[in-house]
Amino acid sequence: MHTSKSLISTVVLRTVAGLLMAPFFMMATVIAAQPSAVAFDAATKVFRIDGEGVSYVFGVNPRGELQQLYWGGRLAATDAFPQARPMPEWASFDSPYSNTPQEYAGWGAGLFMEPALKVTFADGNRDLVLHYDSHTVRPDGVDVVLKDIQRKIYVTLHYTMEPHSGILARSATIENREAQPVTVEQAAAAAWALPPSHYTLNYLTGRWAGEWTLTQEAVKTGARVIESRRGSTGHRANPWFAIQAGESNEDQGDVWFGALAWSGSWRITVEQDQLDAVRVTGGFNPFDFGYVLHPGEKLETPVFYGGYAANGLGGASRKLHRFEIDHILPHRQDQKNAPKPRPVIYNSWEATEFRVDEAGQMALAEKAAALGVDRFVMDDGWFGQRKDDHAGLGDWYVNQQKFPHGLKPLIDKVHSLGMDFGLWVEPEMVNPDSDLYRKHPDWVLNFPGRPRSEQRNQLVLNLARADVRDYVLGFLDKLLTENDIAFLKWDYNRNWSEPGWDQLPPAEQKKVYVEFTRNLYSILAELQRKHPKVELESCSGGGGRVDLGILRYADEVWPSDNTDPFDRLTQQDGFTYAYTPQVMMAWVTDSPHWLNKRSSSLSYRMLSSMQGSLGIGANIAKWNDEETATAKRLIAAYHAVQPTIVQGDLYRLISPRNDSEFSATQTVSHDKSQSVVFAFIHSTQEGRTFPRLKLKGLDPAQQYALSPIEGKALAGTPQVASGAWWMNHGLDMDEGFRGDFQAAAFRLDRK
Ligand code: DGJ
């Protein structure tokens, strides 16, 4: 490792593990032959990071600013960059400082674009101009230190590229080496830049029971802000974006994408600047933000991951899925190479709501085991004085009326049926009607003397406090130590209000936005260390806390409380633009559905849920023999192909968006030995036939056998044909595949 202002170095990487193979080669002779490389050319002051299919280039311009030069498809080793040139002044109204796509611009010197960093010094000065200071090349990336032109504010920019996906992790460490405190008012993790062109922005929006709407719009002059001011990730928008160039579509064209690994308030700003270039800046949400750095203190930003794909939105999401599985999700002791496909779960919520008790849960467990379920999860209602949502949160002892002998008899029963046991918790919340609140009313987020707004009759514990953090960690550790629990469903059912933290001096209280989330992560990390086999689901009234930050600890997420199988098709479609089906839990619930009152067949409901990680959430105590047999058959069929569905390459063949009559997806295992196809009809109109499905991602030269999981192919469809046949000719559905809410599924196995 070398730190220098003038070092010429190229560090070449061989594997994900970042084995150092051949340091100090000249950039031009080595980069093209290797999957990944980091280089700094001292003559031109250009940094270049290469991964498979991707190059990222930036440099120090003569003014001393760190300027982005290129982000896109992999360049040849012989392609050299001259020193960065700042953009010109645009008349007298836009300065080079504002026009130049800086890697991390301080607010000062007349910056009108979104700043990466904005501070106020103790003497009232708010001008911050960051220039290159030094750098350190690491085997898998580079750290570049910037410093204010006069004051001792240092910012270290961290760049780490995962060589196989070319996904770049960027973050910043801000350090105050002044003698007085400095207040950070805005701190991004990174700013990404794209040259002037026609672009389409994709982002995910929603609300409770309506998450994961893919929103697409032209990037125009001005700024599009996607954010959460809620203290957590939120349902309203998700910290992910994808920008398509020109004619790019699902399968073709340039796409740049990014995802922020942060579960607190966040903001991503997509701006087209005055010279038509585009910048994407993301990190802590600056709204109500203020982080005081005392002399010698540092602030670490979250990581903003960014990637590039040449093959459309589909290519971008396949890269992201693989990256999440290989590099974000927990890799547990018994899951050495990749997270295992999720157990098929049963969850009690929709069947019993708060009315859980020993006899009822045991009866459900028996039915679940008979279906072939792997894990039984008891949801809300088992603790404190919890009869409904008015009481009990905070009192994490077992309710004696419902479970007179504790949880052990139920857990033993679940184990005797061949399943493992999971339990619901909502650790960050408290009902005012609870022993915990009566004892510690000061533990909630609040401004003293002001009202405390309740939502779902609950308040948010101030997890930023050390005593609250210790309490939460303590009860969870005890619960997991005393009971044989394999899985926690970690829920979070409201957003913040009155986010005061009156233990701190007034000027420092806004730190709560950072420290709350950091403490959440530290609790999760500590639980992971102490109970390494216990798996976790991140739930926040559905999909309110899904992001790459929480996914470092969560093995799966609950995408939505809306389990309507038709609505789920669109939600799942949106979800998969950013997140892998591996983490996408999907329960089969009762019909008619409680939300939309829509009726659908069990087979339709099963196939809708089988596109992700399957769960059963219906009141199975009421299922008849036929329903039980259908579910059992389809769970067995799902188990047989689950790795391909949840960890294979996903192709969204026909989108269910925009009131589409039809939809279809296909997944292909990485070795191309298996593929699974799902097809859905919303409502056949004017007798239309289901479109022929031209499959993707198969090996054209290999033979694949088609077998139905549910439904039939058109009479005469070959049972075995080449990958070329399935991809060029395609798969036709049976003529009888018509009607409302119909579903079919097929598997193809290489011969
Ligand atoms: C909200 C979750 O999303 C539901 O699945 C369920 O766990 C309830 N909370 C329980 O209160």
Side-chain angles (χ1 to χ4, degrees):
M1 201 177 282
H2 301 269
T3 303
S4 167
K5 292 187 184 185
S6 59
L7 179 76
I8 299 180
S9 67
T10 300
V11 178
V12 181
L13 302 183
R14 188 176 53 186
T15 64
V16 184
L19 294 178
L20 199 62
M21 240 174 59
F24 311 127
F25 286 90
M26 289 304 293
M27 183 169 81
T29 54
V30 176
I31 284 175
Q34 307 299 333
S36 177
V38 185
F40 175 67
D41 184 333
T44 55
K45 297 189 177 158
V46 169
F47 294 89
R48 175 168 163 176
I49 309 176
D50 291 284
E52 212 166 283
V54 179
S55 294
Y56 190 89
V57 186
F58 57 100
V60 184
N61 68 29
R63 297 156 53 93
E65 296 147 359
L66 200 62
Q67 178 177 342
Q68 199 250 41
L69 291 169
Y70 175 78
W71 182 25
R74 175 85 175 239
L75 302 171
T78 46
D79 295 328
F81 281 78
Q83 184 173 15
R85 289 270 142 219
M87 299 296 284
E89 179 177 287
W90 188 246
S92 55
F93 293 96
D94 287 298
S95 69
Y97 188 76
S98 204
N99 295 342
T100 298
Q102 295 188 53
E103 285 288 289
Y104 202 84
W107 185 77
L111 180 81
F112 303 115
M113 302 303 294
E114 185 77 358
L117 185 63
K118 183 177 183 310
V119 302
T120 296
F121 290 88
D123 62 358
N125 169 45
R126 305 194 308 280
D127 184 60
L128 181 77
V129 177
L130 298 170
H131 280 184
Y132 169 82
D133 180 74
S134 62
H135 73 270
T136 304
V137 172
R138 290 179 280 105
D140 55 353
V142 59
D143 295 324
V144 183
V145 180
L146 309 179
K147 182 191 168 295
D148 178 61
I149 48 174
Q150 290 175 340
R151 302 201 176 191
K152 292 184 197 147
I153 292 296
Y154 287 82
V155 178
T156 307
L157 304 182
H158 310 286
Y159 296 82
T160 306
M161 187 175 276
E162 194 284 302
H164 297 296
S165 60
I167 289 179
L168 187 60
R170 292 184 56 190
S171 63
T173 305
I174 301 141
E175 186 180 356
N176 177 18
R177 293 195 210 155
E178 289 280 291
Q180 300 291 322
V182 170
T183 304
V184 177
E185 286 154 356
Q186 182 159 352
W192 308 91
L194 297 173
S197 185
H198 293 291
Y199 295 111
T200 302
L201 170 67
N202 298 262
Y203 58 107
L204 292 162
T205 57
R207 59 190 163 87
W208 176 78
E211 302 89 334
W212 312 113
T213 301
L214 185 74
T215 302
Q216 302 180 298
E217 65 195 24
V219 176
K220 297 242 172 79
T221 299
R224 159 63 69 192
V225 173
I226 47 177
E227 66 172 352
S228 161
R229 299 179 175 192
R230 298 160 184 260
S232 64
T233 325
H235 301 72
R236 181 76 194 87
N238 191 267
W240 166 88
F241 75 89
I243 294 178
Q244 298 169 267
E247 302 301 305
S248 163
N249 57 28
E250 178 70 19
D251 299 309
Q252 287 160 354
D254 294 329
V255 176
W256 294 265
F257 56 94
L260 198 55
W262 186 242
S263 313
S265 291
W266 58 273
R267 188 165 98 177
I268 296 176
T269 304
V270 182
E271 299 176 278
Q272 191 181 65
D273 72 13
Q274 53 285 351
L275 302 180
D276 298 334
V278 170
R279 295 187 218 175
V280 182
T281 308
F284 296 125
N285 195 324
F287 178 81
D288 197 34
F289 191 82
Y291 197 101
V292 177
L293 285 179
H294 292 281
E297 286 184 347
K298 294 178 185 176
L299 172 64
E300 304 266 349
T301 72
V303 177
F304 202 169
Y305 294 94
Y308 162 82
N311 48 348
L313 287 170
S317 61
R318 285 188 289 278
K319 268 194 181 192
L320 206 39
H321 294 173
R322 192 75 255 140
F323 179 74
E324 288 159 358
I325 291 171
D326 289 345
H327 301 287
I328 299 287
L329 295 179
H331 284 213
R332 301 193 180 274
Q333 274 171 350
D334 55 338
Q335 303 175 7
K336 290 204 177 63
N337 298 320
K340 281 193 305 204
R342 310 299 305 140
V344 172
I345 64 158
Y346 178 77
N347 179 291
S348 63
W349 175 246
E350 289 201 19
T352 64
E353 296 199 339
F354 301 95
R355 298 176 304 278
V356 295
D357 61 24
E358 191 177 287
Q361 293 294 297
M362 283 187 179
L364 285 169
E366 278 180 8
K367 270 290 234 183
L371 296 176
V373 162
D374 306 307
R375 171 172 290 168
F376 184 85
V377 183
M378 177 161 67
D379 210 281
D380 199 348
W382 59 270
F383 53 90
Q385 297 309 307
R386 189 81 165 160
K387 296 186 189 65
D388 50 33
D389 60 20
H390 285 80
L393 284 176
D395 298 341
W396 298 104
Y397 57 84
V398 179
N399 182 297
Q400 286 294 308
Q401 282 84 50
K402 298 178 180 186
F403 298 92
H405 313 290
L407 295 178
K408 191 165 186 318
L410 175 61
I411 296 177
D412 288 348
K413 172 82 175 178
V414 166
H415 289 163
S416 74
L417 291 165
M419 300 180 289
D420 65 22
F421 180 77
L423 192 64
W424 180 95
V425 288
E426 191 175 1
E428 298 140 284
M429 299 289 167
V430 65
N431 288 115
D433 185 0
S434 66
D435 297 342
L436 184 72
Y437 188 74
R438 282 183 279 272
K439 201 167 161 202
H440 297 291
D442 54 325
W443 275 12
V444 298
L445 291 175
N446 76 97
F447 293 116
R450 302 285 303 170
R452 300 171 176 203
S453 304
E454 291 174 26
Q455 279 156 19
R456 209 195 192 204
N457 310 301
Q458 63 196 57
L459 297 166
V460 185
L461 288 172
N462 183 356
L463 205 62
R465 292 173 59 124
D467 45 7
V468 174
R469 176 197 175 274
D470 292 348
Y471 165 77
V472 169
L473 178 59
F475 91 72
L476 287 167
D477 183 30
K478 186 162 179 285
L479 189 67
L480 296 177
T481 305
E482 291 176 355
N483 299 283
D484 196 349
I485 293 172
F487 168 84
L488 286 179
K489 173 177 173 180
W490 183 302
D491 208 344
Y492 181 94
N493 279 304
R494 60 160 292 180
N495 294 134
W496 289 12
S497 58
E498 301 100 13
W501 181 5
D502 66 347
Q503 280 184 312
L504 298 192
E508 307 209 9
Q509 291 189 12
K510 291 175 180 174
K511 268 188 174 176
V512 69
Y513 286 101
V514 177
E515 302 309 325
F516 185 111
T517 304
R518 293 230 184 285
N519 276 353
L520 168 66
Y521 291 157
S522 82
I523 292 169
L524 294 172
E526 188 61 9
L527 289 176
Q528 221 173 56
R529 197 185 62 74
K530 286 189 159 176
H531 307 278
K533 288 190 177 162
V534 177
E535 298 181 342
L536 193 88
E537 177 177 285
S538 173
C539 170
S540 171
R545 189 149 65 188
V546 182
D547 57 78
L548 294 191
I550 204 76
L551 281 173
R552 293 187 185 127
Y553 308 97
D555 304 82
E556 60 185 55
V557 302
W558 183 228
S560 181
D561 276 351
N562 183 351
T563 52
D564 177 292
F566 172 66
D567 283 3
R568 271 292 177 113
L569 296 182
T570 324
Q571 292 188 313
Q572 292 174 175
D573 175 80
F575 184 96
T576 60
Y577 281 92
Y579 303 104
T580 164
Q582 162 79 12
V583 302
M584 185 175 75
M585 290 310 289
W587 304 344
V588 174
T589 57
D590 287 315
S591 171
H593 191 264
W594 58 269
L595 184 63
N596 293 326
K597 310 294 176 209
R598 176 177 293 118
S599 297
S600 58
S601 69
L602 181 57
S603 144
Y604 180 85
R605 283 176 272 149
M606 289 288 301
L607 265 56
S608 169
S609 294
M610 283 162 62
Q611 290 186 299
S613 283
L614 176 64
I616 307 290
N619 191 352
I620 49 179
K622 292 193 176 155
W623 276 8
N624 61 28
D625 289 349
E626 194 189 334
E627 288 170 312
T628 304
T630 301
K632 191 173 173 180
R633 173 174 60 80
L634 288 173
I635 288 173
Y638 174 77
H639 269 137
V641 292
Q642 186 183 0
T644 300
I645 294 174
V646 297
Q647 296 195 355
D649 286 329
L650 172 69
Y651 296 88
R652 290 173 288 257
L653 299 179
I654 305 175
S655 167
R657 276 178 280 122
N658 307 320
D659 302 324
S660 174
E661 216 169 315
F662 313 109
S663 69
T665 61
Q666 182 203 356
T667 45
V668 183
S669 62
H670 293 296
D671 64 0
K672 297 184 186 287
S673 65
Q674 187 176 71
S675 181
V676 180
V677 179
F678 288 98
F680 298 91
I681 300 175
H682 171 260
S683 50
T684 301
Q685 290 156 45
E686 299 166 351
R688 252 187 297 281
T689 306
F690 197 91
R692 175 175 290 175
L693 294 176
K694 290 178 81 171
L695 304 187
K696 295 183 177 159
L698 302 174
D699 183 339
Q702 298 290 324
Q703 297 289 311
Y704 292 89
L706 178 78
S707 27
I709 293 173
E710 190 76 338
K712 286 189 286 188
L714 184 69
T717 300
Q719 282 181 354
V720 178
S722 68
W725 198 91
W726 297 116
M727 292 193 291
N728 294 326
H729 176 279
L731 170 64
D732 291 307
M733 299 292 141
D734 179 59
E735 280 177 349
F737 190 53
R738 288 159 199 267
D740 296 349
F741 306 112
Q742 300 296 310
F746 300 85
R747 58 185 280 180
L748 290 103
D749 292 278
R750 194 171 62 199
K751 293 293 283 178

